[in-house]
Amino acid sequence: MTMSALGEPCVLLKLGEVVLKGNNRELFERRLQANIKAALKDVGVKVDVRQRHGVIALFLPDGSGAEIADAVAERVSYVPGLVWVHRAWRVEKDPSAITKAAIELLADRDDVRRGVSFAVRSRRRDKRFPLTSMQLDRSVGGELNDIYGLPVDLKSPDLVVSIEVDRDEAFVFTGGQPGQGGLPVGTSGRGLVLMSGGIDSPVAAYRMMRRGLRVDFLHFSGIPFTTSESIYKAYALVRALDKFQGGSRLWVVPFGKAQQSIKASGQDRLAIITQRRLMLKTGEEVARRLRAGALVTGDSLGQVSSQTLQNITAQDDAVDMPILRPLIGLDKTEIMAEARRIGTLAISELPDEDCCTLLAPRKAETAAKVADLKKIERRLDAEELAVQLAGSLQEYKIDA
């Protein structure tokens, strides 16, 4: 049997939450298509993106081989808003062509040689197709059973041959890889992530991207009292996250002199929370300039002294802008597992000179009072200092 029996290689994308959006669904689908097209620029081939009911089909240029389809599937698997990515074959909408493609699809597979159980599962998006889904399952499944002698298991098969009959063609495939789920980036507005070099903030950024938020990243460097190591690390983290949204920007504030002023205030136990409040005030000023509507942090309740309920409340008081904390109920093990999955953990674990080490009191306050913090801020003129810090921004565009 020739390769033509398999038809043309393509990629079939399954949508998640987007299909539940009612009257706004078209807006979400358009944004998702735009994100897919932007992501595919990295692959370097012109892909025809076509919307179907609940799915998106990616048709490749004529003559594209399976390796191109693999590269396209891998790239779009990082685009939020998709729940499954299938490497499929596009064939004529004809029972005979579908059966031939299914037979060819199982040829030369090691699991087929081992005699794994199988099932055929069909779906008709075009109800005019002459066979019902059940009839198509039986027809194709019978042919596969005759040729390969595989046992049929309709409840929990080892191998599923999927057939989807659409308006103009049919798709045949096995397996697939999970997508990121969530909503398309850009459908929930814009946010600014306070990006340390640690494990938590990159995961927080990823989680907000999955909820449709397009994010910029703000890093506070200890310069001039530390080296540029933390900036390199923050850049590497943002670069690793860029595959989920594209066009990411890292903004860096030299924070060392401000930290020196906080340390000179003599309020050792309150230094960390004072610093956090100043970071948030600066972040709010930067966010307004970038037209972002919220700040994002990697806080997890009770993880460190600055993240007790009382101290989180004291930090919320520092700004008017919403502070989103997507990790608030996760423990460190859960956060590390997600960091490993999205590819940021190894970078976060690299050593660097973090600016927080400049303000490491022997004993930090776990229940800071807002009134005490405001007294320190009046002496520091924190509001004006935040504006000055925001004015010292340096932008680093991410090279994808």
Side-chain angles (χ1 to χ4, degrees):
M1 188 171 293
T2 64
M3 180 61 73
S4 60
L6 264 175
E8 303 170 5
C10 63
V11 179
L12 204 60
L13 311 177
K14 299 296 180 66
L15 281 58
E17 276 184 79
V18 171
V19 302
L20 305 176
K21 290 303 176 181
N23 294 334
N24 291 326
R25 176 171 169 176
E26 187 177 343
L27 296 174
F28 283 81
E29 288 179 340
R30 282 206 302 265
R31 173 62 70 175
L32 180 55
Q33 288 179 43
N35 292 349
I36 290 168
K37 290 174 182 177
L40 288 175
K41 289 179 181 178
D42 298 344
V43 182
V45 296
K46 188 175 178 60
V47 177
D48 184 7
V49 180
R50 297 190 191 178
Q51 183 73 49
R52 297 289 193 258
H53 185 70
V55 301
I56 293 176
L58 305 182
F59 299 136
L60 310 179
D62 290 343
S64 296
E67 68 282 355
I68 296 295
D70 288 340
V72 168
E74 174 67 16
R75 181 63 190 91
V76 297
S77 70
Y78 293 108
V79 177
L82 304 172
V83 293
W84 280 100
V85 177
H86 300 287
R87 271 279 287 102
W89 293 91
R90 179 191 188 191
V91 301
E92 287 183 49
K93 196 171 65 174
D94 172 77
S96 176
I98 292 171
T99 301
K100 288 178 181 178
I103 293 170
E104 178 69 11
L105 193 60
L106 299 194
D108 300 322
R109 288 179 59 123
D110 290 338
D111 54 354
V112 171
R113 293 193 188 96
R114 294 196 304 269
V116 295
S117 62
F118 86 105
V120 177
R121 290 179 180 156
S122 305
R123 181 183 179 188
R124 295 184 310 156
R125 281 189 284 276
D126 183 355
K127 302 303 181 185
R128 297 170 299 175
F129 190 70
L131 299 181
T132 67
S133 296
M134 188 173 292
Q135 289 171 335
L136 189 57
D137 288 347
R138 288 174 177 171
S139 174
V140 175
E143 290 285 344
L144 294 176
N145 183 259
D146 289 345
I147 292 173
Y148 296 111
L150 300 177
V152 176
D153 184 347
L154 298 181
K155 289 187 177 180
S156 55
D158 299 313
L159 174 64
V160 175
V161 177
S162 297
I163 300 168
E164 300 197 2
V165 180
D166 219 318
R167 183 185 62 203
D168 301 317
E169 65 273 304
F171 302 98
V172 183
F173 57 91
T174 60
Q177 61 190 105
Q180 302 303 318
L183 299 173
V185 170
T187 55
S188 299
R190 183 179 289 274
L192 180 65
V193 179
L194 271 60
M195 186 73 163
S196 71
I199 296 170
D200 302 338
S201 52
V203 178
Y206 165 75
R207 288 209 158 198
M208 295 318 302
M209 285 188 275
R210 283 187 70 247
R211 299 313 306 155
L213 201 68
R214 170 161 285 282
V215 299
D216 283 287
F217 300 86
L218 179 62
H219 177 68
F220 293 90
S221 163
I223 288 176
F225 302 111
T226 63
T227 67
S228 299
E229 282 183 357
S230 74
I231 299 175
Y232 299 144
K233 187 175 178 181
Y235 183 93
L237 287 168
V238 175
R239 193 172 186 273
L241 292 168
D242 187 62
K243 60 181 175 283
F244 300 110
Q245 68 168 8
S248 300
R249 295 182 298 179
L250 171 65
W251 304 87
V252 176
V253 169
F255 200 60
K257 290 183 179 179
Q259 289 179 295
Q260 190 179 53
S261 298
I262 293 171
K263 194 168 187 177
S265 70
Q267 301 295 323
D268 199 41
R269 285 173 61 94
L270 293 173
I272 293 294
I273 302 302
T274 301
Q275 172 181 273
R276 290 284 294 174
R277 281 174 60 99
L278 182 57
M279 286 178 169
L280 290 168
K281 288 177 184 293
T282 305
E284 183 177 47
E285 181 64 28
V286 174
R288 286 182 180 138
R289 298 182 185 194
L290 299 178
R291 298 187 178 180
L295 301 175
V296 180
T297 74
D299 293 339
S300 170
L301 186 62
Q303 188 178 118
V304 293
S305 63
S306 64
Q307 295 170 18
T308 63
L309 183 58
Q310 296 94 323
N311 284 350
I312 286 175
T313 303
Q315 291 172 61
D316 283 340
D317 173 79
V319 294
D320 296 323
M321 188 170 284
I323 303 173
L324 306 180
R325 297 181 172 94
L327 310 186
I328 196 69
L330 300 185
D331 64 32
K332 198 67 176 184
T333 302
E334 293 169 314
I335 297 169
M336 290 178 69
E338 186 142 317
R340 184 178 294 108
R341 184 181 68 80
I342 65 175
T344 59
L345 182 62
I347 302 170
S348 294
E349 290 179 333
L350 293 172
D352 71 302
E353 288 187 286
D354 188 276
C355 70
C356 293
T357 58
L358 299 177
L359 278 181
R362 277 186 249 172
K363 190 169 184 181
E365 181 61 66
T366 58
K369 294 181 175 60
V370 172
D372 295 337
L373 293 165
K374 286 187 174 181
K375 287 179 184 177
I376 300 171
E377 288 173 349
R378 281 194 292 271
R379 291 200 296 269
L380 293 172
D381 196 2
E383 301 295 335
E384 177 59 29
L385 183 54
V387 172
Q388 292 176 10
L389 288 167
S392 66
L393 274 181
Q394 295 176 309
E395 179 183 1
Y396 293 79
K397 290 184 179 178
I398 304 305
D399 177 11

